[in-house]
């Protein structure tokens, strides 16, 4: 193990190296503050101080890791178990303090069966990664909240000093393809959501789909090249009630589920059955536009005999069909009233009258609208009596369309599932930055949605050949 004596030697060497640089920072700050008579003295003083501090931090990390590597090289354990394969192998990583370049030693075991960089193992750095995980997590978090194109278009503000931003430096811009690759390489682990209470024993489920442009390459023929390709994403919103919040209404006990799976109901039920206690739920209201895939899975909601599932067809789609049938405001209102007062006979008569004198194409459209309402007449009336109305259209807009449909871009089928799932995590309150830092190199980690602290830094564990005492090492860092 790294002994206290070795730590003391390392500390003395590092402090000796950094002491003069720290004195220069303080001296430069005082000189600028006291002897600079420029009208922009404050700005120049702060910018110079920032530059000096960044250089100190950069040099400190370089000095510490190179010193530790040299101390390990001289240790008895290394000499007895490991040979030196290469010395002074340079590595550069981009950190929150800028680019840090340091030298380290490449070791191999006496039997030549294993090779490793001691410093890379000590720091937990993956091979061939230019950007450290803190930078990658920060960028992925921003990309999920906005999009990779927007993140790539700005300088990386997490490690760009103020002076570089004032000069509009492009040095730290990260290519969007690099951001896409980071997301693609990240092996997601499913977070563990906390259970949500259902106080009134009622559950409301809304669902709808959003078509996302698919990115297709190497089409076989000209017809395929001109054909638009889409990916069907599905969104479920589950809640236990509604409360008034100022002028707006807020869903209570909400959980969002997003997928592009061909078996969305199966995956959806598997997830929400661990969040809501279906054994205690008596009434389940399903609100939708009555699409085929939506109605096909409503029976899946009945997990226990006491679960009573009521299907409700959204008012929005009923009014949409009526509005598209006629422009007459009074007739529209009349048709609404006929539907919601359960006067099917007169409704059919009025719709038939609308078709008189119309061309064939218009008659076909009005017939479709009429048949839709008649087919779902009962579930439309169910919605009238439902205490919570559907807001699925606005949820589709905020949950999917804003992120995946508002800008003309396409997604690959190989990666869209991951993008959708990450966006779902974000909408459910998961801290994407924190999630990445805890799981980028450990996909077996079970993340809890309320776990928003950075406890992973509270203790340091290592499987290095030279195992150090974490308590001693933390004291060294202090």
């Amino acid at each position: 193990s790294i002994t206290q004596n070795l730590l003391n030697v390392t500390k003395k060497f590092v402090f000796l190296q950094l002491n003069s640089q720290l004195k220069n920072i303080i001296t430069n700050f005082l000189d600028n503050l006291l002897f600079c008579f420029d009208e922009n003295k404050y700005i120049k003083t702060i910018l110079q101080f920032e530059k000096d501090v960044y250089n100190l931090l950069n040099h400190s990390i370089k000095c510490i890791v190179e010193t530790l590597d040299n101390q390990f090289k001289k240790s008895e354990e290394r000499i007895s178990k490991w040979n030196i394969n290469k010395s002074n192998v340079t590595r550069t990583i981009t950190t929150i303090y800028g680019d840090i370049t340091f030298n380290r030693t490449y070791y191999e075991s006496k039997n030549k069966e294993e090779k490793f960089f001691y410093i890379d193992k000590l720091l937990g750095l993956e091979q061939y990664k230019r950007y450290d995980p803190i930078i990658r997590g920060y960028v992925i978090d921003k990309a999920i909240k906005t999009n990779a194109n927007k993140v790539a278009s700005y300088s990386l503000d997490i490690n760009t000093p103020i002076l570089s931003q004032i000069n509009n430096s492009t040095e730290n811009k990260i290519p969007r393809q690099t951001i896409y690759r980071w997301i693609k390489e990240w092996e997601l682990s499913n977070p563990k959501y906390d259970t949500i209470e259902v106080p009134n024993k009622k559950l409301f489920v809304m669902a709808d789909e959003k078509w996302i442009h698919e990115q297709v390459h190497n089409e076989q023929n000209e017809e395929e090249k001109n054909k638009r390709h889409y990916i069907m994403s599905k969104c479920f919103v589950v809640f236990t009630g509604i409360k008034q919040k100022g002028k707006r209404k807020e869903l209570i006990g909400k959980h969002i589920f997003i997928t592009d799976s061909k078996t969305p109901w199966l995956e959806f039920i598997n997830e929400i059955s661990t969040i809501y206690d279906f054994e205690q739920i008596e009434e389940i209201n399903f609100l939708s536009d009555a699409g085929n895939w939506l109605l096909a899975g409503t029976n899946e909601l009945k997990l226990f005999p006491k679960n009573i599932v009521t299907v409700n067809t959204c008012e929005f789609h009923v009014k949409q069909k009526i509005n598209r049938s006629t422009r007459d405001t009074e007739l529209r209102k009349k048709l609404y009233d006929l539907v919601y007062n359960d006067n099917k006979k007169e409704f059919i008569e009025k719709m038939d009258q609308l078709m008189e004198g119309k061309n064939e194409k218009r008659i076909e459209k009005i017939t479709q609208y009429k048949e839709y309402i008649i087919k779902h007449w009962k579930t439309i009336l169910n919605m009238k009596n439902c205490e919570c109305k559907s807001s699925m259209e606005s949820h589709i807009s905020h949950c999917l369309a804003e992120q995946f449909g508002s800008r003309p871009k396409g997604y690959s089928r190989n990666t869209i599932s991951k993008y959708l799932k990450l966006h779902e995590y974000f909408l459910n309150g998961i801290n994407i930055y924190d999630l990445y830092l805890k799981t980028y190199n450990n996909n077996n980690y079970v993340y809890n949605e309320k776990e928003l602290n950075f406890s992973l830094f509270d203790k340091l564990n290592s499987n290095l050949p030279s195992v150090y005492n974490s308590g001693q090492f933390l004291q060294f860092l202090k």
Side-chain angles (χ1 to χ4, degrees):
S1 299
I2 296 180
T3 63
Q4 187 64 47
N5 181 52
L6 181 56
L7 287 173
N8 290 334
V9 171
T10 306
K11 280 195 280 188
K12 288 179 182 179
F13 182 81
V14 172
F15 291 156
L16 185 65
Q17 294 289 315
L18 301 180
N19 190 38
S20 59
Q21 192 171 355
L22 185 58
K23 288 180 180 178
N24 288 335
I25 291 176
I26 298 172
T27 301
N28 290 339
F29 184 84
L30 291 173
D31 287 346
N32 286 327
L33 199 61
L34 298 174
F35 302 110
C36 177
F37 302 102
D38 192 292
E39 60 181 5
N40 294 320
K41 177 172 71 172
Y42 172 77
I43 296 175
K44 290 184 176 180
T45 301
I46 293 300
L47 292 179
Q48 182 62 49
F49 183 73
E50 182 204 50
K51 182 179 178 181
D52 291 341
V53 168
Y54 266 70
N55 288 336
L56 174 63
L57 293 169
N58 190 309
H59 184 67
S60 299
I61 295 173
K62 172 182 168 65
C63 183
I64 290 171
V65 297
E66 288 185 348
T67 302
L68 283 172
D69 190 51
N70 288 330
Q71 295 300 330
F72 177 71
K73 186 190 297 184
K74 299 174 185 176
S75 68
E76 293 182 3
E77 182 179 356
R78 197 285 302 170
I79 295 171
S80 64
K81 297 180 180 179
W82 303 88
N83 293 327
I84 297 175
N85 184 280
K86 292 179 184 178
S87 294
N88 297 323
V89 181
T90 301
R91 179 168 188 179
T92 300
I93 59 171
T94 300
T95 72
I96 56 175
Y97 307 124
D99 287 348
I100 298 179
T101 301
F102 53 89
N103 294 318
R104 72 263 202 254
T105 308
Y106 192 45
Y107 301 99
E108 66 177 356
S109 58
K110 294 288 186 179
N111 59 11
K112 301 186 182 300
E113 291 182 357
E114 186 179 354
K115 298 178 181 180
F116 83 114
F117 286 104
Y118 174 73
I119 287 301
D120 289 5
K121 286 283 188 181
L122 188 67
L123 294 175
L125 295 175
E126 312 103 304
Q127 292 181 343
Y128 313 117
K129 296 290 187 184
R130 169 63 186 268
Y131 296 89
D132 77 356
I134 295 176
I135 294 288
R136 300 200 304 270
Y138 174 85
V139 171
I140 289 174
D141 179 60
K142 295 295 183 185
I144 297 303
K145 292 176 180 176
T146 55
N147 61 73
N149 291 344
K150 184 175 289 188
V151 175
S153 66
Y154 298 105
S155 295
L156 186 57
D157 55 359
I158 195 174
N159 77 330
T160 304
I162 299 170
L163 185 59
S164 298
Q165 297 189 38
I166 293 174
N167 295 334
N168 196 27
S169 170
T170 60
E171 181 180 354
N172 290 312
K173 285 185 178 179
I174 300 176
R176 63 182 181 183
Q177 289 302 327
T178 299
I179 301 173
Y180 290 141
R181 189 180 72 248
W182 291 346
I183 296 175
K184 185 177 180 179
E185 292 173 348
W186 182 15
E187 294 186 32
L188 292 183
S189 60
N190 293 324
K192 181 182 178 182
Y193 291 106
D194 286 338
T195 56
I196 298 176
E197 296 295 327
V198 188
N200 54 4
K201 298 184 179 181
K202 293 181 181 179
L203 194 67
F204 300 87
V205 180
M206 300 187 296
D208 205 352
E209 73 276 351
K210 170 65 182 174
W211 293 94
I212 300 172
H213 285 276
E214 180 185 4
Q215 202 172 52
V216 180
H217 302 285
N218 302 321
E219 292 87 351
Q220 297 296 321
N221 51 54
E222 196 65 30
E223 183 181 349
E224 282 294 314
K225 288 183 180 179
N226 297 326
K227 183 180 177 182
R228 290 185 177 181
H229 297 265
Y230 294 93
I231 299 168
M232 184 181 178
S233 60
K234 299 94 174 174
C235 179
F236 294 82
V237 180
V238 189
F239 59 102
T240 60
I242 296 179
K243 69 176 181 180
Q244 194 73 32
K245 190 175 183 181
K247 295 182 179 181
R248 300 174 65 89
K249 292 183 178 180
E250 181 180 345
L251 301 185
I252 304 170
K254 183 173 70 172
H255 181 80
I256 296 172
F257 177 84
I258 303 175
T259 183
D260 68 322
S261 169
K262 293 182 179 179
T263 57
W265 277 100
L266 177 61
E267 296 181 9
F268 170 65
I269 295 298
N270 285 341
E271 179 163 308
I272 66 164
S273 61
T274 63
I275 299 173
Y276 303 92
D277 187 359
F278 275 74
E279 194 170 2
Q280 302 300 320
I281 296 172
E282 295 178 356
E283 182 181 335
I284 301 173
N285 277 283
F286 180 63
L287 300 79
S288 74
D289 62 5
N292 291 333
W293 77 269
L294 292 162
L295 297 180
T298 53
N299 290 333
E300 302 292 335
L301 290 168
K302 190 177 179 64
L303 299 184
F304 291 91
K306 68 187 301 182
N307 300 151
I308 300 174
V309 180
T310 304
V311 178
N312 306 269
T313 300
C314 300
E315 292 177 320
F316 171 83
H317 293 278
V318 177
K319 291 182 178 181
Q320 182 188 68
K321 300 294 186 290
I322 293 175
N323 289 346
R324 289 177 178 178
S325 300
T326 178
R327 294 183 180 181
D328 189 323
T329 305
E330 291 186 7
L331 182 54
R332 285 176 175 177
K333 186 177 184 306
K334 177 66 175 177
L335 291 170
Y336 300 154
D337 292 340
L338 290 173
V339 172
Y340 289 107
N341 289 325
D342 196 15
N343 194 337
K344 186 187 294 186
K345 182 179 179 181
E346 190 174 348
F347 172 79
I348 295 173
E349 291 175 357
K350 291 290 184 184
M351 292 297 286
D352 289 341
Q353 290 173 10
L354 278 175
M355 294 183 243
E356 294 176 0
K358 300 295 192 298
N359 59 46
E360 184 179 344
K361 187 175 181 180
R362 184 62 180 155
I363 292 174
E364 182 182 349
K365 283 292 182 183
I366 297 176
T367 301
Q368 289 177 4
Y369 303 147
K370 181 185 75 171
E371 290 177 349
Y372 173 87
I373 294 174
I374 293 172
K375 179 180 179 180
H376 304 294
W377 192 272
K378 181 181 178 181
T379 59
I380 291 171
L381 294 178
N382 288 343
M383 177 62 80
K384 176 187 175 182
N385 301 318
C386 183
E387 63 184 85
C388 293
K389 306 306 179 184
S390 174
S391 58
M392 194 61 214
E393 292 301 318
S394 60
H395 274 87
I396 277 289
S397 176
H398 291 298
C399 298
L400 286 174
E402 183 179 13
Q403 180 75 6
F404 300 97
S406 60
R407 297 171 183 85
K409 56 182 178 293
Y411 291 84
S412 167
R413 286 191 180 273
N414 296 328
T415 57
I416 187 61
S417 298
K418 185 171 291 186
Y419 280 99
L420 291 173
K421 199 51 63 177
L422 282 170
H423 196 58
E424 174 198 307
Y425 294 168
F426 165 64
L427 293 172
N428 285 321
I430 296 293
N431 186 321
I432 302 298
Y433 197 176
D434 192 22
L435 176 66
Y436 182 82
L437 293 178
K438 289 186 169 76
T439 63
Y440 76 93
N441 62 352
N442 180 13
N443 63 331
N444 293 320
Y445 184 90
V446 178
Y447 187 91
N448 187 278
E449 65 171 327
K450 291 189 177 180
E451 184 181 353
L452 302 180
N453 61 73
F454 287 81
S455 58
L456 76 163
F457 299 118
D458 289 347
K459 57 184 179 180
L460 302 173
N461 298 314
S462 173
N463 58 356
L464 298 177
S466 177
V467 182
Y468 54 82
N469 180 287
S470 60
Q472 289 181 335
F473 198 72
L474 284 172
Q475 289 299 318
F476 161 69
L477 292 177
K478 293 177 182 178

